[in-house]
Amino acid sequence: MKNDKMKKNKIYAILIALSIVSFLFSCVEDKGSEITLDINEIKISGIELQYDRTSYFDTLRITPTIECSLENFSEDNLEYAWFFCLNSESMTDHKHEKIGSERELVYKVDVPPGTYTIYLQVTDKSTGIKYDASCTLNTSSQFVRGFYLYGDKPNGLVGLDFVSMPMGKDTVLIKDIFINSQPIKGAKDLIFTGRDNGFNALWAVTRDNQYSIEYSAQLEKVDIVPDQRLEDRIYATISSVQKPYHLTNICPGTWGPQCISLSGTARMRLIMTENEIFTCNMVLSEAYGNPINRDNITTEQLFKPYPVAFYSAAESSVSYVCFFDMTNHCFKKPGHQIMSSAIKCDKPAVDSETPFFFDQNNYTPVRQIVYGENGYRNAGRSYALMKDADGNYSVSAFTAPTEYASDPIKHYAKQIDLSVARDFARASHYAFFSGQMIILYSVDNLLYAYDYNRNDLKVINLGAEITYLAMEHQSSLTVTDFIVATYDSTKKGLVQKYSIADDVNAIRITPHEKEVWKTDLKVVKVVWKFSNY
């Protein structure tokens, strides 16, 4: 009898131990119950193993199928509980919260991108027995891939929208993602370098200042980063620098699904303001010394730079650039084989009139740059639109140097026939099509495409003021796409992508019917982003 009693005690102990283990390893608490009647076994199905949704945008809907083993068992005797669990390898760090009490789950995925577990617990109220099922929820950011739309709201405050283009999902315009807690006004430019590596990567430029902006794909909305000022990165000692600084460009910038990096002997970043050009070695820190836009190391006199660093986009990385000196009307390059070590700029070593002079003082009247940009493909050409005092315009095409020992490579120079290119002098925006000798320009609500090789013109009335015009190479890696933004005080803003045919015999422009986005903003800049940062 004693041995039988000991055996029974051991069995009870084992059962108790198993109950404790089951309790410890259960995500959702089970209070248990005494069972004296036939057990109604519950089978849960209709829940997928994994759901993929977009954070702060999608809604997760799950409708499970519930099967009961006892006939005539009413679902009114069942109690439902859905739990949202942060995945964790450690049981002590595990956290969960109840997110539903109905059989069907309808859950707005307002959580940061990540991997989570969803549990359904079904309780038989007559016995207290609990059954559960689980699934994995993978959430991705809506701000990884797409376009920033930057401009002014109707009330004058700066605003930011995002055209979310996640891989394998529909494109969606997400409005008003900028909190603008300052608040700032007067949108002028948006500069995104694409990679941070611990450094500022997104800047909102206004008419009188610039602001570092949050850009993390983990956030639902972004705001100004406090205590991040351009001045805190610059340690200039010469008296000719003009404070406060007004940011005009940062190189490198985004390009395609990746970001062009400035490589060469030393990885560097280049900042241009309205009056200065600064460089730094990013391997050391983002700290800028004296500006390099001067002609020798003994002078403090700076030349005014045109706000574009010309480089060859045919390269996978950029090892060298050149500039245009607006004070002395001449193309120049950093005066050192390592750009981050340059302390001055030099003229090209060789210059001639074939097909154009680097030094625009050789022309009478002297020519000044009006607009410049880097093209795409086509031997990595860059383009500069020049104008003289008599109102004549010309286009210079060249390839920027890839090292200090090289000068820019000249390709051609072409005159603009103003008798054909109507209203050219009144244009508010320009853009060069790299595939052909065509320049796009806008005047009020009219979009012009001028072939300066065949001397042909095409005009399209877009029905509203054109506020932005630029070639768009980054998202599709194609030479033919461009983007136009318009604004009407009643209909508000419209952003649309177009294609221009790579045809030597005709100008053909086609709107992308599915790539058009309505916004409340008067858009002044459209910037591509493809970054998990």
Side-chain angles (χ1 to χ4, degrees), residues 26-82:
S26 173
C27 170
V28 181
E29 182 182 359
D30 187 348
K31 296 180 179 180
S33 176
E34 293 182 2
I35 303 173
T36 59
L37 302 174
D38 289 338
I39 296 175
N40 176 47
E41 294 184 4
I42 296 173
K43 181 181 178 182
I44 304 172
S45 60
I47 300 178
E48 299 177 14
L49 294 176
Q50 177 177 305
Y51 294 88
D52 298 317
R53 295 293 184 268
T54 302
S55 292
Y56 306 115
F57 181 75
D58 283 340
T59 297
L60 175 65
R61 298 177 184 273
I62 304 176
T63 304
T65 299
I66 307 298
E67 298 178 68
C68 299
S69 62
L70 294 180
E71 295 183 4
N72 301 320
F73 187 87
S74 174
E75 266 200 49
D76 292 339
N77 291 323
L78 299 181
E79 185 177 78
Y80 301 96
W82 291 90

Side-chain angles (χ1 to χ4, degrees), residues 369-414:
I369 191 169
V370 175
Y371 176 77
E373 73 175 50
N374 296 305
Y376 182 63
R377 297 179 181 170
N378 201 11
R381 291 179 184 177
S382 297
Y383 303 88
L385 177 64
M386 314 304 296
K387 178 186 177 184
D388 65 25
D390 291 340
N392 300 308
Y393 290 84
S394 62
V395 175
S396 298
F398 59 95
T399 299
T402 56
E403 59 181 355
Y404 175 69
S406 303
D407 286 337
I409 300 172
K410 303 174 184 178
H411 295 292
Y412 63 78
K414 292 284 186 177

Side-chain angles (χ1 to χ4, degrees), residues 192-194 250-254 259-262 268-270 311 318:
F192 178 55
T193 63
I250 299 178
C251 188
T254 57
C259 305
I260 278 186
S261 60
L262 282 170
M268 56 83 69
R269 174 174 282 182
L270 181 148
Y311 58 78
V318 177

Side-chain angles (χ1 to χ4, degrees), residues 52-61 107-113 139-143 162-166 169-175 177 217-221:
D52 298 317
R53 295 293 184 268
T54 302
S55 292
Y56 306 115
F57 181 75
D58 283 340
T59 297
L60 175 65
R61 298 177 184 273
Y107 177 63
K108 186 71 166 63
V109 188
D110 286 336
V111 294
T139 66
S140 59
S141 173
Q142 56 193 341
F143 301 116
F162 192 77
V163 180
S164 180
M165 306 173 74
K169 296 184 179 181
D170 293 338
T171 296
V172 179
L173 174 62
I174 305 169
K175 292 186 176 182
I177 68 168
Q218 304 294 308
L219 301 173
E220 181 182 10
K221 289 181 177 289

Side-chain angles (χ1 to χ4, degrees), residues 341-361:
S341 299
I343 54 177
K344 64 182 182 67
C345 286
D346 296 332
K347 290 184 177 181
V350 179
D351 198 5
S352 69
E353 194 174 5
T354 306
F356 63 87
F357 286 111
F358 288 128
D359 189 343
Q360 303 290 298
N361 292 291

